[in-house]
């Protein structure tokens, strides 16, 4: 797809987006999926003891052979609070982008990573990088707030193009673009990272087809086991082979390997309100 073609589609989407006035959450009636249950605004972030692992007596966190001390645990809890505060604005824009691109917004109820899962990820990062500060691990987190948009194979490329142009038009900056549709082995899909302009909160948007989303869900437990520090090298190779076989069955939409992040446009109109 040429850049002119891609930008033309984006401008058409922006024209439609402006019709939403200044409230990106004010979507057409058919966009209000009854399965979507927004989190209560102003809800407090879960504490270290809210998950199934809970906290230890000194205020730290433990789980799956991993640990955060009390000070690091408090910093992660503060990060969770900031992510929760930024989420409503980001969600409004992602829902608008999904509607304009005719995407299915999958798993919206799980848009916030659970405290235990986030702490497990941070603790794993700290263990893999001795001497690193927790702030450095938190700065690399891209999926504390995350979304999945899905289209049929024949609408996938145009859908991704429209959705990313709309998100970019609100001032969201692309921080990650991992397009593995052209990979011979492993994960197939497109994972993008973004930074919201007002809160500076990082968030992730995954772009899938029904088949690639199915493969991701089927391999999730295999991936989680593979990431554990207690998993042996032999078992890790076995788990990777299983994941490769599952993803190999996923068809690649025409043009998907060539998808690129939206190019910055100096004259791009900015939609309000920004996140």
């Amino acid at each position: 797809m040429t850049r002119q073609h891609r930008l033309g589609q984006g401008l058409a989407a922006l024209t439609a987006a402006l019709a939403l006035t200044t409230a990106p959450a004010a979507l057409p009636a058919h966009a209000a999926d009854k399965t979507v249950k927004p989190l209560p605004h102003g809800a407090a972030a879960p504490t270290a003891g809210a998950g199934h692992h809970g906290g230890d007596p000194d205020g730290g966190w433990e789980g799956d052979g991993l640990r955060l001390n009390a000070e690091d645990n408090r910093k992660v809890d503060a990060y969770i609070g900031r992510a929760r505060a930024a989420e409503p604005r980001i969600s409004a824009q992602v829902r608008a982008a999904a509607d304009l691109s005719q995407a299915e917004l999958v798993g919206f109820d799980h848009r916030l990573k659970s405290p235990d899962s986030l702490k497990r990820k941070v603790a794993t990062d700290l263990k893999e990088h001795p001497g690193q500060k927790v702030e450095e691990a938190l700065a690399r987190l891209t999926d504390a707030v995350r979304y999945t948009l899905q289209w049929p194979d024949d609408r996938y490329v145009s859908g991704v193009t429209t959705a990313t142009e709309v998100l970019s038009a609100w001032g969201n900056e692309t921080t990650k673009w991992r397009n593995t549709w052209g990979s011979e082995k492993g994960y197939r899909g497109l994972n993008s990272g973004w930074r919201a302009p007002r809160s500076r909160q990082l968030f992730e948007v995954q772009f899938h087809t029904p088949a690639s989303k199915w493969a991701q869900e089927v391999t999730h437990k295999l991936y989680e086991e593979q990431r554990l520090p207690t998993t042996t090298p032999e078992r890790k190779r076995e788990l990777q082979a299983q994941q490769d076989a599952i993803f190999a069955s996923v068809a690649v939409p025409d043009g998907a390997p060539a998808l690129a992040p939206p190019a910055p446009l100096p004259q791009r109109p900015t939609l309000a309100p920004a996140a």
Side-chain angles (χ1 to χ4, degrees):
M1 178 180 294
T2 66
R3 184 172 185 269
Q4 289 78 11
H5 185 196
R6 182 166 63 81
L7 295 183
Q9 287 185 321
L11 289 174
L14 295 179
T15 300
L18 288 171
L20 296 175
T21 68
T22 59
L27 303 179
H30 69 272
D33 187 342
K34 293 181 180 179
T35 64
V36 172
K37 303 177 182 64
L39 293 171
H41 289 192
T47 62
H52 67 279
H53 292 291
D56 59 23
D58 71 355
W61 175 92
E62 291 183 352
D64 295 327
L66 300 164
R67 187 177 187 279
L68 294 173
N69 62 37
E71 181 179 0
D72 287 349
N73 191 42
R74 284 193 295 270
K75 290 177 179 179
V76 177
D77 279 335
Y79 178 92
I80 291 172
R82 293 192 296 272
R84 280 183 171 266
E87 174 271 322
R89 286 183 179 273
I90 297 171
S91 289
Q93 295 179 1
V94 172
R95 292 182 68 184
D99 185 67
L100 290 167
S101 63
Q102 299 182 336
E104 179 182 358
L105 187 54
V106 181
F108 186 72
D109 287 350
H110 305 291
R111 60 197 178 277
L112 284 172
K113 199 177 188 73
S114 72
D116 271 332
S117 181
L118 193 149
K119 291 178 182 183
R120 187 183 303 110
K121 190 169 186 176
V122 171
T124 299
D125 196 353
L126 292 175
K127 185 170 184 177
E128 292 176 348
H129 300 86
Q132 177 183 245
K133 295 183 178 180
V134 70
E135 290 87 354
E136 296 174 84
L138 289 171
R140 285 196 295 272
L141 281 176
T142 61
D143 63 346
V145 184
R146 70 275 178 91
Y147 308 88
T148 298
L149 273 60
Q150 176 178 290
W151 300 267
D153 289 28
D154 61 346
R155 290 196 288 107
Y156 181 80
V157 170
S158 62
V160 171
T161 301
T162 298
T164 55
E165 290 287 353
V166 171
L167 287 174
S168 181
W170 265 304
N172 297 294
E173 303 170 17
T174 308
T175 60
K176 178 181 73 172
W177 190 267
R178 182 170 175 260
N179 184 348
T180 57
W181 280 112
S183 301
E184 293 184 2
K185 292 184 178 180
Y187 181 88
R188 284 186 177 176
L190 200 168
N191 290 6
S192 64
W194 303 79
R195 180 181 287 108
R198 180 178 298 179
S199 65
R200 311 304 291 170
Q201 175 64 44
L202 297 177
F203 63 99
E204 181 181 89
V205 184
Q206 296 185 5
F207 303 111
H208 278 290
T209 65
S212 67
K213 181 59 180 173
W214 167 83
Q216 181 201 45
E217 292 176 346
V218 170
T219 59
H220 181 70
K221 288 186 178 180
L222 303 177
Y223 173 76
E224 288 295 319
E225 182 183 348
Q226 187 181 34
R227 287 277 296 168
L228 291 176
T230 53
T231 304
T232 65
E234 293 78 12
R235 178 59 178 163
K236 287 184 178 181
R237 287 192 291 271
E238 178 183 337
L239 292 166
Q240 186 60 58
Q242 293 177 25
Q243 293 174 69
D244 290 345
I246 293 170
F247 280 114
S249 69
V250 176
V252 179
D254 291 341
L259 281 167
L265 295 178
Q267 303 303 317
R268 184 194 302 275
T270 300
L271 304 184

